[in-house]
Amino acid sequence: MKKKGKYKVSSGNLYKSGRSLIVFQITALVVVVMLVSGILSLYLYNRSQNRLIDNSKDKLIESEARMIASSHIFMARTINDLLEIAGVSVPGREAVQQEIEKGASTGNLSSLQVAVDDILKIAVGAGFFGLEAIVKAAPPSADSSAEKAVVLFSNNDQYIYQDLPEDLSAMIENGDTYKLFEEGIPQFGMEDEYLVTSGRDDVTTGGSTLWSFEFKPMSGELAAIDAYYDEEKRNTNLALAAVVGGSIIFVLIITFLVLSLLIKRRITKPIDELSDVAEEVMDGDLDIKVPIRSGEEFEGLKIAFNEMLQSLNALLMKSTGQESGKKESFENRGSNKRKSRSSKSMVLVYTTILIALVYAASSAFSFIFFLRSQERLIDKSKERIIRTEAEMLSTGHNYFGEVTIKIMYAKDMLPDTTEDFQTFIQEDIQARASNTIPPSKEVQNDIYEFLIETGLYGLDLAFSVSPPNPALRVSEPMIAVSSDISLIYDNMPQVLGRLLEIEEGDNDSYSGRIDEKNTYALFENGLPELGLSGEYLVASYLFDMEIGPIKAELWNFDFKPMHEELKSLNDYYDKEYKNTLLFVGITMAITFVVLVLISFFILSLLIRRRITNPLNELAAAVEQVMEGDLDIEIPVKTGEEFQGLKHAFNEMIGSIRGILSKTTDCD
């Protein structure tokens, strides 16, 4: 009865499944997930980065304010000492109050005000801390007619006798030691950003408390800081965008290849197997069976398909009067009917796992990149703070030099003529030979000791080094003046020589050149040669001294212990780092769960539409055939994965109808 080829309608290629659209759809879903992940990573990084930068700027401003505030006692006592040397008397509290009221009415300045203002002008003119103005105001008191604080001393004469702006008075009342005024101080004609530090001065006016304020313009510095961080952000964002973009392309390729293999194994191959069997049936072979693999999506359909072929074979045998070993009829099919329905699609499970793994890998990679970027930004922020402190240290040397010269001139310790200069040199050489300190050096040592004593900059050592000079009989760099007199006449440690040799562009971690005269370095292991342990910030300054006929070069070094400050910085940034990691980690974890659930939901709809529903449709058709309905025809949609198989099924049923019809006609 079997006539192979007689009922074959078309070639086998018609029924083979083509490129599965579901591969492209799932790949598109993965790309969307990756894009969402990438955008989220960029958003989280920028948010955390901006927060870290803002906090770093706050720490930097706080560091500058602390440095400036460290000068309050030094400035007050320096003023007092210079007034004493100049023979200017300091009146008591009542006299000061009377002077304020008298001066405010006449506009004239007292000799005390003129002397103090001159000292303040020296500080501002020498670039002390980069200040633009210093103001000392007398607060209102019960025995005064003044209701507001009044400016009594300033390097700018225009401020004197003005009422102190309320914002500045509020700083004292609220205990604020510093504040950044982003709109400036209009009453003093100061525009843009200004850093203002405040403190109490109980020295300058002989026991009468003054409010002291220092004003540093910050617009240029903040613009430079913003530009610095903007460049860091731009470079990091470009790198992150490249990483995310590269990850998406890489994941796209891997996902497409993996999905192609998965779909081919789980969908395309079973469809082709069913199509091949349908073609064999159309060739007349009803004894063929579809191979079945346990757990596959097509297991139920294949079982039903084999049972259908068995039943059809039995029907044909019966119609032609032949006996068959396969006696199962349509009526015996009921117990296995449910098996024809497709089970839970493992493609859904495998694809969801793939998306979860892809997103997890992408998130982990982005997270690691994020961590490295945060660590780099933190290091850059610490470097910036340390450099700023070094710059602040360098601003005091000109002022110290002028104060020193002023005191030495007042005490008649500096030579005026070439002959006096020769005598000055000989005294210095003899003092070194006898290991004693001449009076001129004692004054300079006292000033350095005064720096340490008053806590200026937080230093615990400062000294000046004389470079080799044949005229002074100095063959090796020698410590000439020091806050620690035990170091005087010692050779300069060689490690400091390397500090002087730092060139522009040689900036390393925590070291660099500020300008042609200033360098700095953080010595993380201290300087054992000087008995200094722990972290120390060392700033050097090349000072050109010219006093009458004296022209000499000095190398000044300031030593600031940084252990506690760095510990505080590290603790601060560690806390920021941990908080950021916690926030980013929780956010990415929640996003991971949400995206995987959404992906699972979308995939379930997609697989139901593209795989499960067509499978159930075919299974239902098979069941109808086994129930005796050979007039069934499955609707075929162009482009679907089952297009070829449905065509094959329809033509196979048509072939069976043709065989049965001819058999009936013969009968």
Side-chain angles (χ1 to χ4, degrees):
M1 185 69 194
K2 297 178 184 176
K3 298 178 181 179
K4 290 193 176 183
K6 186 174 180 180
Y7 300 106
K8 188 170 183 179
V9 180
S10 54
S11 65
N13 288 335
L14 174 65
Y15 308 115
K16 296 291 183 181
S17 62
R19 175 72 71 181
S20 178
L21 289 177
I22 197 170
V23 174
F24 296 96
Q25 292 169 332
I26 295 177
T27 302
L29 175 62
V30 173
V31 171
V32 170
V33 170
M34 288 295 296
L35 283 173
V36 172
S37 171
I39 292 171
L40 176 68
S41 297
L42 286 170
Y43 167 74
L44 287 176
Y45 179 74
N46 273 288
R47 185 180 183 277
S48 301
Q49 191 181 44
N50 289 335
R51 182 172 181 271
L52 182 60
I53 288 173
D54 288 341
N55 290 339
S56 295
K57 287 164 66 176
D58 290 342
K59 292 295 288 184
L60 192 145
I61 290 171
E62 178 188 344
S63 176
E64 291 201 30
R66 187 173 59 251
M67 294 279 280
I68 295 172
S70 71
S71 70
H72 286 150
I73 298 176
F74 171 80
M75 283 291 296
R77 290 181 56 178
T78 299
I79 290 172
N80 200 50
D81 289 347
L82 291 174
L83 290 177
E84 184 179 345
I85 291 172
V88 177
S89 60
V90 179
R93 179 172 180 174
E94 293 182 2
V96 169
Q97 204 63 52
Q98 292 174 2
E99 198 166 284
I100 292 172
E101 295 175 359
K102 180 180 178 181
S105 61
T106 62
N108 296 325
L109 302 182
S110 67
S111 58
L112 174 63
Q113 287 173 300
V114 171
V116 173
D117 293 349
D118 285 344
I119 297 171
L120 298 180
K121 289 174 183 177
I122 292 173
V124 173
F128 192 47
F129 289 122
L131 301 178
E132 182 180 295
I134 301 174
V135 165
K136 293 183 180 293
S141 61
D143 55 352
S144 168
S145 60
E147 298 180 355
K148 296 182 178 181
V150 177
V151 177
L152 189 58
F153 305 106
S154 175
N155 63 296
N156 190 330
D157 295 340
Q158 295 179 356
Y159 301 159
I160 297 178
Y161 297 134
Q162 283 192 35
D163 288 342
L164 192 69
E166 292 183 1
D167 288 340
L168 301 183
S169 297
M171 287 182 66
I172 297 293
E173 293 167 1
N174 297 333
D176 297 330
T177 56
Y178 73 95
K179 184 177 181 181
L180 181 68
F181 287 83
E182 296 182 353
E183 304 299 327
I185 315 291
Q187 297 91 325
F188 288 163
M190 298 177 180
E191 300 178 352
D192 297 325
E193 298 98 334
Y194 272 79
L195 174 61
V196 181
T197 57
S198 65
R200 295 178 182 272
D201 177 0
D202 298 321
V203 179
T204 302
T205 54
S208 180
T209 299
L210 296 177
W211 292 348
S212 183
F213 299 90
E214 296 78 32
F215 302 82
K216 181 179 180 182
M218 294 291 290
S219 56
E221 186 172 340
L222 290 176
I225 293 171
D226 288 336
Y228 173 81
Y229 281 120
D230 284 345
E231 183 178 2
E232 285 294 315
K233 285 173 60 179
R234 184 165 52 251
N235 293 339
T236 305
N237 286 340
L238 284 174
L240 183 59
V243 168
V244 171
S247 299
I248 290 175
I249 294 173
F250 177 76
V251 167
L252 174 63
I253 295 171
I254 296 298
T255 301
F256 186 82
L257 293 175
V258 173
L259 281 175
S260 296
L261 294 174
L262 176 64
I263 298 298
K264 182 178 181 180
R265 179 175 177 271
R266 305 290 302 191
I267 298 175
T268 308
K269 184 178 179 180
I271 289 176
D272 289 343
E273 289 173 344
L274 285 165
S275 297
D276 289 340
V277 170
E279 290 186 62
E280 291 293 324
V281 171
M282 285 186 282
D283 284 340
D285 184 5
L286 272 73
D287 290 325
I288 192 170
K289 285 189 175 183
V290 185
I292 299 173
R293 287 175 291 274
S294 178
E296 65 175 332
E297 284 77 9
F298 290 74
E299 181 181 5
L301 178 60
K302 286 182 176 181
I303 292 173
F305 207 89
N306 286 336
E307 291 181 355
M308 179 192 72
L309 293 178
Q310 183 179 344
S311 298
L312 286 173
N313 191 28
L315 177 62
L316 287 172
M317 290 292 183
K318 183 178 180 181
S319 299
T320 57
Q322 300 179 32
E323 291 298 325
S324 171
K326 305 175 180 62
K327 300 295 183 182
E328 184 178 0
S329 65
F330 296 116
E331 289 78 10
N332 297 328
R333 169 72 185 86
S335 61
N336 293 323
K337 189 173 181 180
R338 289 185 180 180
K339 291 183 180 179
S340 64
R341 298 291 175 178
S342 67
S343 57
K344 177 70 72 174
S345 174
M346 292 304 294
V347 172
L348 173 61
V349 177
Y350 293 152
T351 308
T352 303
I353 291 173
L354 175 63
I355 290 178
L357 290 175
V358 164
Y359 179 68
S362 171
S363 299
F365 191 72
S366 299
F367 194 63
I368 291 171
F369 181 88
F370 172 80
L371 296 185
R372 296 294 178 265
S373 299
Q374 285 292 96
E375 290 170 359
R376 182 174 182 274
L377 185 59
I378 287 173
D379 285 341
K380 289 288 184 182
S381 298
K382 290 197 287 189
E383 286 178 24
R384 187 75 190 185
I385 290 173
I386 289 171
R387 180 181 176 87
T388 299
E389 293 208 12
E391 291 172 350
M392 297 286 281
L393 288 174
S394 69
T395 64
H397 290 286
N398 283 332
Y399 176 59
F400 303 150
E402 292 198 31
V403 169
T404 300
I405 292 170
K406 194 175 183 69
I407 292 174
M408 292 179 72
Y409 264 129
K411 295 187 174 183
D412 196 24
M413 291 182 174
L414 293 176
D416 294 321
T417 65
T418 302
E419 185 178 340
D420 291 340
F421 177 54
Q422 295 297 330
T423 303
F424 183 85
I425 291 176
Q426 289 301 318
E427 289 177 352
D428 186 72
I429 293 173
Q430 291 172 6
R432 273 189 278 124
S434 60
N435 200 29
T436 58
I437 300 175
S440 60
K441 290 286 178 67
E442 288 182 353
V443 171
Q444 297 174 64
N445 291 336
D446 288 345
I447 292 175
Y448 272 146
E449 289 177 8
F450 183 55
L451 298 181
I452 308 303
E453 180 187 342
T454 57
L456 183 63
Y457 298 133
L459 303 179
D460 69 0
L461 177 64
F463 58 63
S464 295
V465 172
S466 292
N469 189 329
L472 297 175
R473 297 183 186 176
V474 177
S475 58
E476 296 287 340
M478 178 195 71
I479 298 175
V481 182
S482 174
S483 60
D484 181 356
I485 59 174
S486 67
L487 298 176
I488 294 178
Y489 303 142
D490 285 353
N491 288 336
M492 180 185 77
Q494 290 184 355
V495 68
L496 298 182
R498 292 197 292 273
L499 176 62
L500 293 170
E501 294 169 359
I502 293 177
E503 298 292 339
E504 191 69 37
D506 287 348
N507 290 19
D508 194 3
S509 179
Y510 309 130
S511 67
R513 177 168 287 279
I514 299 170
D515 53 40
E516 62 180 10
K517 290 188 174 184
N518 293 276
T519 61
Y520 71 95
L522 180 70
F523 290 83
E524 295 182 290
N525 297 317
L527 293 100
E529 303 93 330
L530 298 172
L532 304 178
S533 58
E535 299 95 330
Y536 267 81
L537 173 61
V538 182
S540 71
Y541 177 75
L542 180 62
F543 182 66
D544 295 318
M545 184 173 63
E546 184 172 351
I547 308 171
I550 298 177
K551 291 183 180 180
E553 183 181 86
L554 288 177
W555 300 339
N556 297 318
F557 294 91
D558 297 324
F559 300 81
K560 181 179 180 183
M562 295 292 290
H563 178 72
E564 292 300 324
E565 189 168 339
L566 287 176
K567 183 178 182 301
S568 175
L569 271 179
N570 288 332
D571 290 345
Y572 173 78
Y573 279 120
D574 283 348
K575 183 179 179 181
E576 286 293 312
Y577 187 70
K578 290 175 182 176
N579 290 340
T580 300
L581 295 193
L582 184 63
F583 168 74
V584 173
I586 291 175
T587 304
M588 295 186 82
I590 293 173
T591 306
F592 172 80
V593 173
V594 171
L595 284 179
V596 169
L597 290 176
I598 292 174
S599 299
F600 183 84
F601 176 73
I602 295 173
L603 281 172
S604 63
L605 294 178
L606 178 63
I607 290 174
R608 182 184 302 170
R609 178 173 173 270
R610 304 290 301 192
I611 299 175
T612 308
N613 289 344
L615 271 176
N616 290 334
E617 193 176 7
L618 278 165
V622 168
E623 289 177 6
Q624 283 185 262
V625 170
M626 286 189 289
E627 289 171 0
D629 184 3
L630 296 178
D631 294 325
I632 187 171
E633 184 173 343
I634 303 174
V636 181
K637 299 175 184 176
T638 302
E640 66 175 330
E641 280 75 16
F642 291 79
Q643 180 179 351
L645 178 58
K646 286 182 177 180
H647 272 302
F649 182 84
N650 287 335
E651 295 196 14
M652 180 190 71
I653 298 302
S655 297
I656 298 297
R657 280 200 307 267
I659 294 173
L660 291 175
S661 176
K662 287 187 178 184
T663 303
T664 304
D665 291 342
C666 289
D667 292 341

